[in-house]
Every structure is written in C-alpha cells, then in structure tokens.
Amino acid sequence: MKRLILTLSAIALAASTSFAQNISGASAADLQKNINDAKAKIAKSDADIQNPKNAAKVATWENRAKIFTDAASVNIKGVYAGMEAAKSQKNMLSNLEVLVGTPTSKKPAADGIEIWEYPTIKFYVQDNLVQYWEETVTPDDNALDKAVEAYRKACDLDPKGAVKSKKSTIDGIKNIKQIYTNNGINNYLLLKYDAAAADFEKALALSDFPKDPKDTTSIDGMIAYYGGLSAYQAKNYNKARNFFTSSIEQKYEVGLSYHHLYLIKMDEGKKDEALKIIQDAYNKYPQEESLLYDVINYYTSEKEFDKAETYLNKAIEKYPDNLSVFGVKASIYVDQYTKDKERYLKTRNEADSLKKLAFRNRTNQKENDRLTAAAQAKLDEAAAIRTQFDTDIKKAETTYNDILKKDSKYFGAYFNLGLVSYDKSDMAKQEMSLIPPSEDKDGSKAAAKQAEQKAACKQAIQYFEKALELQPNNRDVLQNLRMLHIQMGEYEKAKELKEKIEALSN
C-alpha cells in the first residue's frame, strides 16, 4: 500500500545552507567529508565560547548559530518529502540524486519502498518520490537546539534588541523553524510520533522571534495542527489538546482540529464531553463539513437514530453529492427494520403461545377469555410492528434509489437493494410458517405469502444482477444469486453460478 506523504506543501526546506547551494558534482562520498568538516567547525566554536573574551561577543554566538544550523542540514541538503529522487528531464536540478549524489546502494523494502543508502543517511523512495529518511551519522544530534540556544545567547548579549531584529537573525530563525517542521514531518512518517510532536513544538517555540512579513511558509496554525496529529498518535492527549486548541485559535483546519479534540474525549471514555465539543463546534462553524459528520457518527454509534437522521438530512441538503451520507442514512433504516423483524417475530410467537394456552383452558371460560384477549393484544402489537417494518423497508429502498438517481453505476446501492429485497422475502417466509393450518384450510393465506416471498426473491435477483454487471467477479454477489436461484427452484442457474464461483478459486 502506498504511504501517504504528510507534507506541508508550502514548507520545503529552504535551500539557504551552503550544502543546498552547492549541487554541482555532489556524490555520496562527500557526505562523510561534510560531516567531518561540520564537526571541525563545531569544535572550534566550542573552543570560542570557552574563551571569556570571545564568549562576550555577539558575533561569536551568531557564527555558532550558523555553524549548528548548517550541521543540522549536512545530510539532507535541502531534500524534502515529496521531492523527486532520480534525475529527470522534468526536474534536472531539484532532486535527490543531484543534491546528495548517487547512492551507494538501492534496496527494495515493503510496500514498494526502495531504500537509497548513503554513508550517513538512508532515503526511502517510492514511485521516484522521497517519502522520508533516517540519518545514521550526524555531526551533532542536537545541532538545531544548539543553534537556537546560540541565537538566544546573542540576543541576551544585546539588550537593545538590534540582534533579534537583524535580517540575518530573522532569516536564520526562519530556516531553523522550517528544518524543525520538516524533521517533524519526517519523524511522523517514521512513526516516531513523540519525536515529531517535539519537533513541531520546538518550531512553534520560535514564535517570539520577529518574523519577516513576507514569509508565507512558517504558518504557525499549520505547524500546530500537525503537532496535534503527532501528539494524538503518540497518545499524548494533553499535548495534542494544546496543539489543536492553538490551530483552532489561528483558524487552521478548524473542523479537523475539533474532530481530533472529539476523538480524544471519546478515547478517554468521556462521551458526554465529546458530544458537547462537536455540537458546540458545529453550531459555531456550521460550514465545517467534518463537524457535521462527527455529530452524525456519534448519534449513529450510540444508536440514537432519530437524532442521527436529523443531522443526516442536513448533510444531504448541504452536500447532496456526498453519496456516502445517503448510505449511512439507508443503513439506519436497515438497522431499524432488522430490529422490527426480530420484535415482530418475537411478538407473534408470544401471541401463538397465548392462543395455545387459551385453547388448553377452554373449559375455564374466565381464563380462556383472559388469555384470548392477551393473545389478541399481542397480535395487534405485532401488526403495528409489521407496519413499521414495511415503513422502514420502504425508507431504505427509497434512500438507496436516491443514490442511483445520482449515480446509476453505484455498486453498493444495487447490492444493498438486493439485500433489502432478500429481507422482505425472508419475512414473508417466516410469516408463512406462522400461519396455523386451522386458520388456512384452503391454503390461500400460505399461497399469498409464498407469492410475496417469490416476488421479493425475483426483485433481489434483479438488483444483484445489476451489481454483477458492475463487478462480474464479485464472490458475494455470485453467492447471493446462487442462493436466491435455489430458493426459486432454478437449479440449472444455481449450478452455473456455482461453477463460476469455483472457477474464481482456481
């Protein structure tokens, strides 16, 4: 299965480091040399800050910040998730092979992933797109944190604030923020959710630095949202709440942010609080489609179908082309008529038991009258349930047909209409078995139910045949058709279907 690239499309690692700029003649062998060069620069910087005279200079810390920023990018060289891997006519300059060089090896992995191995890093490639990477050797694992620390120290040494507002500082912090963000994306794809959340958190922590008004890449709401996704996957719900609250405040992915706040409450078993979150959110942001679906899913999962239907009707009115909403609505009616059927048959059996008891007490007039009245009450109750069954069946059929009016080739609608017709057939069959011989001496009642059963069977066959036209090798459709033809006594047709099913297995 192809992995989805979690990408902030506006945030590609800025090609502002010396490594990203120097793309001519890049090779895998350069990586270890670059690591060593970065370590040498770090060692010199470490020595500089140990010297009291140098440590008191703003320039020492500004230079240190640049050294560690470059060190954090030494392996990646401007590569980002979604970048092309191999050279192509379409993209001659910006691709993995040009920026980093030819890998020392390429190894296949699961899900169509190919691992491009270099001396200090592995890139995971799928369909010629970089998916994510793992650094195996770095100049310093905490290089980015130390770069931020250096910028803050430089600012502390300048109480007038000139350093903080310098263009070089603004650009440097912007670059660091982008690297943290891309690292967060990468760790998310590596399923290192705690590390990803920490990266996004560090990116947001830089918001106290001045921002270039022309900068459209460092979107804090976006970073907060992806931080929330990471923390949620790590089951760090408190941190996730803080992230999503921040993304909502900044009007970024409001619906999906509330959706995850709702999921957190559901995961914590706080259903009432979960419902309040999405109801309040939907009332405040009725234009957010995902919130409406959350309310629907809540009431559906809680079997509060009347409330679910109210919101489903709103969804159908607002989003008439979302056919899955029709499917959910139809499934509610299916659930209801299934329960109607169970209640009906149970009540009919209770009525029959009372009638038998009344017959046994036929010599006791008072008891016979009481039991006969009770049996009749049960029959009346069953009749009301049977009427409700027909109503819910009709609603299900109407809703599935509404789908077909919008898409005449919607497989699921035909398949489910076949199931609904089968349920009608089975109800008629069950009712036929409940008819006492004493009340059907000429067999007309049983014959009527048998005709009703066969008509429903025939209707089910027609729907399943429509479904089969769309998916000729669908085993479920073939099995259902075979069973229905057996019930209709059409054994040759059933045999043909059996042979086709067996052929699919070979």
Side-chain angles (χ1 to χ4, degrees), residues 106-387:
K106 296 181 182 180
K107 297 179 180 178
D111 296 332
I113 294 283
E114 187 176 56
I115 304 173
W116 288 31
E117 291 191 343
Y118 294 84
T120 60
I121 190 170
K122 297 177 182 179
F123 288 96
Y124 292 77
V125 177
Q126 185 180 57
D127 296 337
N128 196 38
L129 296 177
V130 175
Q131 304 292 309
Y132 49 95
W133 55 82
E134 287 183 283
E135 295 185 77
T136 53
V137 182
T138 67
D140 188 306
D141 290 343
N142 299 308
L144 217 52
D145 295 348
K146 292 178 180 179
V148 174
E149 181 183 44
Y151 271 121
R152 292 198 181 281
K153 182 65 176 177
C155 292
D156 290 343
L157 291 172
D158 174 42
K160 293 184 178 181
V163 171
K164 202 168 189 178
S165 59
K166 283 173 64 175
K167 185 178 186 304
S168 59
T169 304
I170 291 172
D171 289 344
I173 290 297
K174 172 186 173 183
N175 195 27
I176 290 172
K177 194 171 187 177
Q178 289 174 333
I179 299 171
Y180 270 136
T181 301
N182 282 339
N183 286 349
I185 296 168
N186 191 60
N187 278 320
Y188 186 97
L189 292 169
L190 285 168
L191 311 184
K192 296 178 180 179
Y193 300 121
D194 280 317
D199 286 326
F200 290 121
E201 193 169 34
K202 289 173 182 177
L204 290 175
L206 298 175
S207 297
D208 63 317
F209 281 91
K211 183 179 176 182
D212 182 351
K214 296 180 181 178
D215 178 14
T216 59
T217 61
S218 302
I219 303 172
D220 286 351
M222 184 190 297
I223 296 170
Y225 175 71
Y226 285 115
L229 291 181
S230 303
Y232 176 76
Q233 291 293 343
K235 298 191 182 302
N236 189 336
Y237 292 149
N238 286 332
K239 183 175 284 190
R241 262 188 284 264
N242 291 334
F243 275 125
F244 288 127
T245 299
S246 178
S247 60
I248 290 167
E249 289 171 350
Q250 296 173 79
K251 300 292 188 289
Y252 185 84
E253 291 291 4
V254 171
L256 291 174
S257 295
Y258 272 117
H259 167 74
H260 282 90
L261 290 176
Y262 159 72
L263 290 181
I264 289 170
K265 287 297 183 183
M266 292 296 285
D267 289 350
E268 292 175 338
K270 299 175 181 177
K271 290 184 178 181
D272 291 343
E273 293 180 32
L275 176 60
K276 187 175 188 313
I277 284 174
I278 51 171
Q279 280 186 322
D280 289 349
Y282 176 66
N283 290 335
K284 189 174 182 180
Y285 300 100
Q287 75 280 6
E288 291 288 342
E289 190 172 354
S290 62
L291 294 174
L292 179 53
Y293 297 150
D294 277 335
V295 177
I296 291 168
N297 288 334
Y298 178 88
Y299 284 127
T300 303
S301 64
E302 293 300 306
K303 306 296 184 183
E304 297 184 44
F305 294 131
D306 288 345
K307 293 178 180 177
E309 187 175 356
T310 297
Y311 284 96
L312 279 163
N313 289 335
K314 289 182 180 181
I316 288 171
E317 181 180 351
K318 293 181 72 173
Y319 313 108
D321 294 328
N322 187 345
L323 299 185
S324 63
V325 177
F326 288 85
V328 173
K329 185 178 180 181
S331 71
I332 287 177
Y333 299 136
V334 171
D335 187 275
Q336 288 178 321
Y337 80 61
T338 300
K339 290 178 180 176
D340 295 338
K341 179 182 175 183
E342 292 172 358
R343 288 171 53 227
Y344 171 75
L345 294 174
K346 180 175 179 291
T347 306
R348 279 292 305 266
N349 284 324
E350 289 172 350
D352 287 348
S353 295
L354 287 167
K355 287 168 70 176
K356 289 175 182 176
L357 281 173
F359 180 76
R360 291 173 192 162
N361 286 272
R362 58 189 179 278
T363 58
N364 183 337
Q365 190 62 47
K366 184 176 180 180
E367 185 64 6
N368 178 268
D369 289 346
R370 186 187 72 81
L371 291 168
T372 299
Q376 186 57 52
K378 283 292 180 183
L379 287 173
D380 292 343
E381 181 183 348
I385 296 171
R386 183 64 167 84
T387 299

Side-chain angles (χ1 to χ4, degrees), residues 385-399:
I385 296 171
R386 183 64 167 84
T387 299
Q388 187 61 49
F389 171 84
D390 289 337
T391 299
D392 291 332
I393 280 270
K394 185 64 177 175
K395 286 181 177 180
E397 288 177 320
T398 299
T399 308

Side-chain angles (χ1 to χ4, degrees), residues 426-436 440 445-451 453:
D426 189 62
M427 174 64 104
K429 180 181 178 182
Q430 297 278 1
E431 287 185 304
M432 185 166 59
S433 69
L434 292 172
I435 300 172
D440 189 31
K445 291 181 179 179
K449 282 296 169 187
Q450 187 176 43
Q453 178 196 0

